[in-house]
Amino acid sequence: MLRSHLGALPSEIRHLCGLHFGWWNDDGVTLGTPPKGKFIRAALTLLACRSVGSEPNAAYPAATAVELLHNASLLHDDIIDGDLVRRGRPALWAAKGIPAALLAGDALFFASVQMLASSTEARRTTSALLAAAQTLIEGEYRDVLLESAAEAGERQVLSVAAGKTGELLACACELGAIAGGAQPERVSHLRSFGRNLGIAFQCADDIVGIWGDPAITGKPAYSDLRQRKLSMPVAVTMAGRTSQAQTLRALYSKKSPLSDEECKRAIGIIEQTDAREATLRKVRRHTADAVYSLSLAHPEPIPAAELTALANQLINRDR
Amino acid sequence: MLRSHLGALPSEIRHLCGLHFGWWNDDGVTLGTPPKGKFIRAALTLLACRSVGSEPNAAYPAATAVELLHNASLLHDDIIDGDLVRRGRPALWAAKGIPAALLAGDALFFASVQMLASSTEARRTTSALLAAAQTLIEGEYRDVLLESAAEAGERQVLSVAAGKTGELLACACELGAIAGGAQPERVSHLRSFGRNLGIAFQCADDIVGIWGDPAITGKPAYSDLRQRKLSMPVAVTMAGRTSQAQTLRALYSKKSPLSDEECKRAIGIIEQTDAREATLRKVRRHTADAVYSLSLAHPEPIPAAELTALANQLINRDR
């Protein structure tokens, strides 16, 4: 559905979008390997729709729209963060230049709205998608502001996690519930499920970003520390008036990426505090909040079990 | 209406949008001078609405949406082109960085769609806006591809003019007509009026970009030649197998901006051909096509006269 919808795009931009999704190479030759990408958001949308008692096909357009929104924001995020690799391939901006990736992202943003035009509950889903997009953009900008700072508090880090990761998963569940014809209260509980799941996921990701095994994550060791990312364990360590807080702040005030030696020092400092355990507590708390919100939505039992399984898979992940 | 609509945006991004529009400075202090900006597109939308016999207030949301779309594309265009100045102030990306301007543009794109949600004829106007946005994005990408080339044909240059400038003016008129409750045929004629007006305007702008008086345009002399812009007079000169075509191509194959001396040589070469007159003929032809399309829409006489006056003002301009 994603692919056929993008077939309606003008040709030059369609080519760029296909490059991003890994459908073809720059010569237009179809790639044999199935494109990577877990379509977690689409899965959430379809399960949310089933959880309110509807057939999943009612939510196909919504699931596609959410993936389009997600991919548009990836295209722009990679430009913003200067990330060179996406799904094991060069990021589009790295391969085709910033203008190409910027415009392909714009096209996917509009394509995500277009996707909903002829769906059931088009008005409600469109309005929800647009509101989520604005929150997402604000979250991304707060992340930009955060990255230019040398330190951050837990609340700021949590607010970025809610705005960036939480909002998209919230939107995925919300759109599925709306497409399934759910009443506003039920929609709101499923939205809350997705939002909390997103925050839990981001905190879990922050743990992997520091303590993850490079052999499993596919990323260099200590990648988040190296880039002086203000992730949750770092914010927790910096919170107190402790000597650890002072030392980590001093390390992070450097203007360039941390060396291996500095990363090891940073990890040593963080491990002197209870930052890892405190971050894990946040994962557990937001997971519990997510599960509670799900129960308030009185979901159908089978999709509810699948949503819970998907949530656990997302949070207890190695990469 | 523009300002009150953007009041609903999250605060950090709203601040960036206000900076772009010149509503306040970076400290949040409201600026006393009225922001520059001619709101030509909004004027077209309101006049198109009146031309089909409706009160202009029916088209206020559409006019606002068109200006938002236009400003979003300016924000992204300035990043793409590396333009440092917009409306006499630093371009947002130059003042606040690429991430800020990229995200502010994204927010205005979504705001333009949100603007239409509660308007009359919301479904039709939204669908028209989204389709125009995709054409606009493709036009911008073709322009990017063109700029990396050392030469271009008239058809390519015309296609970019139609995609970038033509499409936005087409959309402005189309949305006004739809908001005014016009039937599809009448909408289509007003769309065609806007599209041809946009192409004529772009060709006229290309003449100003080479022969415009710096004292009037406010831009440096020969600005388009200096940046080796593939504008219409340049494409016409390059078209033949003449010695002028060869010389201009050789000048344009340079990788850096042209010097004063080279600009003077380029203008001398172009003036040996009939490129200026040929470009003027295109201005006249597309203006005539625009006026003919307007007549086919059987417009109300007073707004029709105002549309024609606005068209003339756009095309016979000094800057």
Side-chain angles (χ1 to χ4, degrees), chain A residues 13 76 106-107 109 134 138, chain B residues 12-13 76 106-107 110 134 138:
Chain A
I13 289 287
H76 285 185
D106 290 348
F109 273 138
Q134 295 292 14
E138 176 84 353
Chain B
E12 306 284 359
I13 289 285
H76 285 185
D106 289 349
F110 285 112
Q134 295 292 13
E138 176 84 353

Side-chain angles (χ1 to χ4, degrees), chain A residues 35-88:
Chain A
K36 279 191 188 176
K38 288 158 282 183
F39 297 108
I40 289 161
R41 290 154 196 84
L44 282 175
T45 305
L46 300 181
L47 284 170
C49 179
R50 284 175 54 205
S51 79
V52 299
S54 275
E55 291 298 316
N57 55 355
Y60 285 170
T64 311
V66 170
E67 287 293 336
L68 288 167
L69 178 64
H70 172 54
N71 279 280
S73 85
L74 292 181
L75 282 166
H76 285 185
D77 251 15
D78 286 345
I79 296 173
I80 290 170
D81 299 336
D83 284 338
L84 292 163
V85 176
R86 170 66 58 191
R87 294 174 189 147

Side-chain angles (χ1 to χ4, degrees), chain A residues 9-13 16 76 80 99-100 102-103 106-107 109-111 114 117 123 130-131 133-134 137-138 140-141 145, chain B residues 9-13 16 76 80 99-100 102-103 106-107 109-111 114 117 123 130 133-134 137-138 140-141 145:
Chain A
L9 286 180
S11 62
E12 307 282 1
I13 289 287
L16 294 176
H76 285 185
I80 290 170
L102 201 166
L103 292 169
D106 290 348
F109 273 138
F110 285 111
Q114 286 178 304
R123 211 188 168 104
L130 292 170
Q134 295 292 14
I137 290 164
E138 176 84 353
E140 279 166 4
Y141 187 52
L145 294 176
Chain B
L9 284 181
S11 61
E12 306 284 359
I13 289 285
L16 294 176
H76 285 185
I80 290 171
L102 202 166
L103 292 169
D106 289 349
F109 273 139
F110 285 112
Q114 285 177 305
R123 210 187 170 104
L130 293 170
Q134 295 292 13
I137 291 164
E138 176 84 353
E140 279 166 4
Y141 187 50
L145 295 176

Side-chain angles (χ1 to χ4, degrees), chain A residues 38 200-227 229 231-234 267 270-271 275-276 279-280 283 312-319:
Chain A
K38 288 158 282 183
F201 169 67
Q202 187 57 58
C203 290
D205 204 51
D206 284 357
I207 293 174
V208 174
I210 294 180
W211 289 279
D213 180 348
I216 301 177
T217 62
K219 290 181 186 173
Y222 331 119
S223 60
D224 280 3
L225 291 175
R226 201 176 300 277
Q227 299 163 45
K229 191 181 158 191
S231 64
M232 187 54 79
V234 171
I267 213 169
I270 295 169
E271 287 178 349
R276 183 175 185 164
T279 305
L280 260 177
V283 173
N312 283 322
Q313 187 193 328
L314 261 179
I315 286 156
N316 304 309
R317 69 203 194 102
D318 296 308
R319 61 193 183 101

Side-chain angles (χ1 to χ4, degrees), chain B residues 33-288:
Chain B
T33 48
K36 279 193 188 177
K38 288 159 281 183
F39 297 108
I40 290 161
R41 290 154 197 85
L44 282 175
T45 304
L46 301 181
L47 285 170
C49 179
R50 283 174 54 205
S51 79
V52 298
S54 275
E55 291 299 316
N57 56 353
Y60 286 169
T64 311
V66 169
E67 287 293 337
L68 287 167
L69 178 64
H70 172 54
N71 279 280
S73 85
L74 291 181
L75 282 167
H76 285 185
D77 252 17
D78 285 346
I79 296 173
I80 290 171
D81 298 338
D83 284 338
L84 293 163
V85 176
R86 169 68 56 191
R87 293 174 189 149
R89 294 187 305 275
L92 190 63
W93 75 268
K96 302 287 289 178
I98 288 178
L102 202 166
L103 292 169
D106 289 349
L108 291 186
F109 273 139
F110 285 112
S112 77
V113 186
Q114 285 177 305
M115 189 70 230
L116 297 173
S118 55
S119 68
T120 53
E121 302 281 354
R123 210 187 170 104
R124 282 171 76 200
T125 52
T126 302
S127 160
L129 181 94
L130 293 170
Q134 295 292 13
T135 306
L136 180 66
I137 291 164
E138 176 84 353
E140 279 166 4
Y141 187 50
R142 287 200 177 146
D143 196 21
V144 169
L145 295 176
L146 201 62
E147 272 167 29
S148 67
E151 56 180 279
E154 290 176 40
R155 281 184 59 178
Q156 284 172 288
V157 172
L158 215 52
S159 147
V160 167
K164 285 187 68 174
T165 318
E167 190 61 23
L168 251 171
L169 300 202
C171 172
C173 295
E174 183 181 21
L175 261 60
I178 295 174
Q183 293 300 310
E185 204 186 322
R186 215 172 179 192
V187 172
S188 159
H189 291 311
L190 278 157
R191 178 176 224 295
S192 177
F193 164 75
R195 189 169 181 277
N196 278 297
L197 177 61
I199 299 171
F201 168 67
Q202 187 58 60
C203 290
D205 203 49
D206 284 357
I207 292 174
V208 174
I210 294 180
W211 289 280
D213 180 349
I216 300 177
T217 63
K219 290 181 188 174
Y222 331 119
S223 60
D224 281 3
L225 292 175
R226 201 175 300 276
Q227 298 164 45
R228 296 172 302 123
K229 191 182 159 190
L230 291 163
S231 64
M232 187 55 78
V234 170
V236 172
T237 305
M238 283 182 176
R241 292 193 181 185
T242 60
S243 66
Q244 286 88 355
Q246 282 185 340
T247 318
L248 190 58
R249 276 194 197 132
L251 269 172
Y252 260 57
S253 64
K254 206 185 158 188
K255 297 286 169 219
S256 53
L258 301 192
S259 65
D260 267 357
E261 190 52 49
E262 288 166 325
C263 286
K264 279 178 198 156
R265 273 189 65 203
I267 213 168
I269 292 160
I270 295 169
E271 286 178 348
Q272 287 167 24
T273 72
D274 80 331
R276 184 175 184 164
E277 185 51 40
T279 305
L280 260 176
R281 278 198 299 274
K282 286 189 202 297
V283 174
R284 285 191 219 106
R285 200 197 105 201
H286 286 283
T287 306

Side-chain angles (χ1 to χ4, degrees), chain B residues 47 50-51 299-308:
Chain B
L47 285 170
R50 283 174 54 205
S51 79
E300 296 291 325
I302 294 172
E306 290 185 44
L307 278 171
T308 310

